[in-house]
Amino acid sequence: MTDRYASFVQTGAGRALVKRLGLPDPPRLRRHTPGDPLVPGPVLLGSSTGGRLAEPAGKILAAAGVELTDPAATTADSRFAALVYDASGITDSAELRQLYDFFHPQARSVLPSGRVIVLGTPPDECGSPREATAQRALEGLTRSIGKEFGRGVTAQLVYVTRDGDAGTPVSLESTLRFLLSGRSAYVSGQVIRVGAGAAAAPADWNRPLDGQVVLVTGAARGIGAALATVLARDGAQVVALDIPAAGDELAAVANGIGGSAVQLDLTAPDAPARLAEHLASRHGRVDVVVHNAGITRDKTLGRMDADRWDSVIDVNLSSQERINDVLLERDLIPAGGRIVSVSSIAGIAGNRGQTNYATSKAGVIGLVDSLSPVLRERGISLNAVAPGFIETRLTARIPLMIREAGRRMNSLAQGGLPVDVAETIGWLSWPATGAVSGNVVRVCGQSLLGA
């Protein structure tokens, strides 16, 4: 689906009209192309007094070929592809002034589609209430920067556990690489926690899923098809699953990426067992399970029949639980495995006419919250992504004015693309991201809904 307004804005007449009338100004986003440098310019790296993360972050970025600049070496003409600031040394609210001293002079120095990343300590791991207060304040800073800097600049907060310090270089590297690259084009205003779980760096960061068997449900079209393509590009052996009615589209996707296709209705009573038997016999394991299959059956609650309610809950939530249970019971997901579920911004903010859908997607978030600590003991990570307005065939059916509101009501003033969701799930699927667990990452351009 084409966003004609965003295309018009890029023309001379469009730019003049936007400036004169103060209309939304969707920037052209920097998205990932294989072979791209991590960032298209130098990165300014700063640190609070006593920060513990600037040194490992600097080593990671230098090894990745990034040109680093010290704040003392900046001039009025300096321009940066990213600002990275270690705020982990801030232990009192009075010390928050260090954030102003770093970011205030640089507010106009970030290039279009640039990145801002703040590193901190999880508040629940802080040594005192004052330190926890100061670290929690970082969320307001990063979310505001994401709304202020404009021109496609995104801002994120990454909390890095102290327990993970011994493995920080690998644990932090995958997250820094994702957030700095074009892969994170439509991710902004997020809080990501990097823990102490297992993380294995790939031999080649251009193929971070080499040798991995990845199951993608709902793979025949839309986000699922983009997912299969991105995961295969990154080196995965993709098992693409969808219902028999989508068999032709599913086969086209699987053939196009050199993967395999499985036609299966996940609501069938024997579906989890059949899927487990297929994975065991063909691959012996599944390293990554991506629960992408989902449906909508919209009606206001007072007009909704029971079948609409039951089918949405069953496909979007209960089927995930049943599949997880069988695959885990049969030890088909090994230590170091990853599970990624697709939630929705509707599960965070709710949505009129979608009580069934919002309930199912909020349940996915509950699944992450409740099951991730259990799986962490087995060395398996569990995360979710929550897409906002994504340009698909489904959103193309939304009435024009509602569709335009969905596109513009975020910090990037545009809808996301299926590849934006796919890239985020891809990052959560990397073995190098094994220390990231229990997170729900919104892919919504920092939507105003649920903010």
Side-chain angles (χ1 to χ4, degrees):
M1 180 170 57
T2 301
D3 184 345
R4 290 190 174 88
Y5 175 82
S7 299
F8 173 69
V9 164
Q10 301 300 325
T11 67
R15 299 216 61 76
L17 188 63
V18 163
K19 186 175 182 179
R20 185 166 66 249
L21 300 181
L23 297 173
D25 186 6
R28 193 186 304 276
L29 302 183
R30 172 172 63 95
R31 289 188 166 90
H32 175 70
T33 299
D36 283 350
L38 188 59
V39 287
V43 171
L44 182 64
L45 177 62
S47 178
S48 58
T49 303
R52 62 188 171 85
L53 297 169
E55 181 179 356
K59 291 179 179 178
I60 289 168
L61 297 179
V66 173
E67 178 189 346
L68 295 174
T69 302
D70 185 273
T74 62
T75 69
D77 296 326
S78 297
R79 294 293 179 267
F80 302 103
L83 309 178
V84 178
Y85 187 76
D86 173 14
S88 64
I90 295 177
T91 59
D92 186 277
S93 60
E95 297 173 359
L96 292 170
R97 173 58 188 268
Q98 296 179 66
L99 299 170
Y100 174 87
D101 292 340
F102 177 79
F103 286 107
H104 171 69
Q106 307 303 334
R108 295 175 177 83
S109 71
V110 186
L111 295 170
S113 278
R115 305 288 188 256
V116 175
I117 300 174
V118 177
L119 307 173
T121 300
D124 56 5
E125 293 184 9
C126 290
S128 70
R130 283 184 174 239
E131 182 183 5
T133 298
Q135 290 295 310
R136 178 60 176 79
L138 301 177
E139 295 190 27
L141 171 85
T142 50
R143 287 183 172 135
S144 296
I145 286 175
K147 295 177 178 180
E148 283 187 3
F149 279 21
R151 298 172 300 120
V153 175
T154 62
Q156 328 289 347
L157 171 59
V158 180
Y159 283 132
V160 183
T161 179
R162 284 195 175 98
D163 292 339
D165 280 358
T168 291
V170 173
S171 303
L172 183 57
E173 182 168 8
S174 71
T175 299
L176 285 178
R177 282 180 172 270
F178 169 69
L179 294 177
L180 288 172
S181 74
R183 297 175 189 264
S184 62
Y186 202 61
V187 177
S188 190
Q190 297 307 288
V191 179
I192 295 165
R193 292 190 174 222
V194 178
D204 180 359
W205 280 101
N206 291 312
R207 292 179 62 83
L209 285 168
D210 251 349
Q212 300 287 292
V213 178
V214 181
L215 169 69
V216 178
T217 68
R221 60 180 72 92
I223 290 172
L227 255 171
T229 301
V230 166
L231 297 172
R233 179 204 68 194
D234 285 354
Q237 184 176 358
V238 177
V239 179
L241 182 150
D242 216 311
I243 57 175
D248 290 343
E249 292 173 293
L250 181 66
V253 169
N255 292 336
I257 61 171
S260 60
V262 176
Q263 297 183 28
L264 185 64
D265 180 354
L266 295 178
T267 64
D270 63 344
R274 288 173 58 192
L275 176 59
E277 289 162 7
H278 175 86
L279 292 170
S281 63
R282 297 290 183 90
H283 306 284
R285 71 185 195 285
V286 58
D287 299 295
V288 184
V289 176
V290 181
H291 292 293
N292 170 70
I295 61 172
T296 57
R297 297 290 185 270
D298 297 351
K299 283 285 185 181
T300 56
L301 187 58
R303 297 174 180 272
M304 184 181 298
D305 58 79
D307 286 343
R308 289 176 184 265
W309 179 274
D310 292 342
S311 61
V312 169
I313 298 297
D314 195 25
V315 173
N316 296 2
L317 179 59
S318 300
S319 70
Q320 294 191 21
E321 295 177 303
R322 293 192 297 266
I323 290 170
N324 288 343
D325 287 348
V326 171
L327 296 182
L328 292 167
E329 179 185 329
R330 300 190 185 189
D331 290 324
L332 287 172
I333 306 175
R338 283 83 60 211
I339 301 174
V340 186
S341 293
V342 177
S343 179
S344 168
I345 195 170
I348 298 170
N351 202 16
R352 186 182 187 278
Q354 287 194 315
T355 52
N356 50 359
Y357 184 77
T359 299
S360 70
K361 295 303 187 177
V364 169
I365 296 173
L367 176 68
V368 171
D369 290 343
S370 60
L371 188 56
S372 61
V374 177
L375 294 184
R376 194 175 290 120
E377 297 178 2
R378 297 177 59 166
I380 299 170
S381 70
L382 170 60
N383 299 282
V385 298
F389 187 96
I390 305 297
E391 304 279 0
T392 65
R393 286 189 292 185
L394 288 176
T395 53
R397 300 172 189 163
I398 298 173
L400 176 62
M401 297 307 295
I402 298 175
R403 185 167 70 239
E404 281 302 301
R407 282 171 168 160
R408 310 305 163 208
M409 291 179 62
N410 59 74
S411 296
L412 300 176
Q414 60 195 284
L417 303 179
V419 71
D420 297 323
V421 182
E423 294 282 17
T424 306
I425 292 174
W427 158 63
L428 291 170
S429 300
W430 299 349
T433 313
V436 175
S437 190
N439 287 257
V440 178
V441 181
R442 289 169 49 171
V443 187
C444 64
Q446 199 178 9
S447 173
L448 300 181
L449 300 177

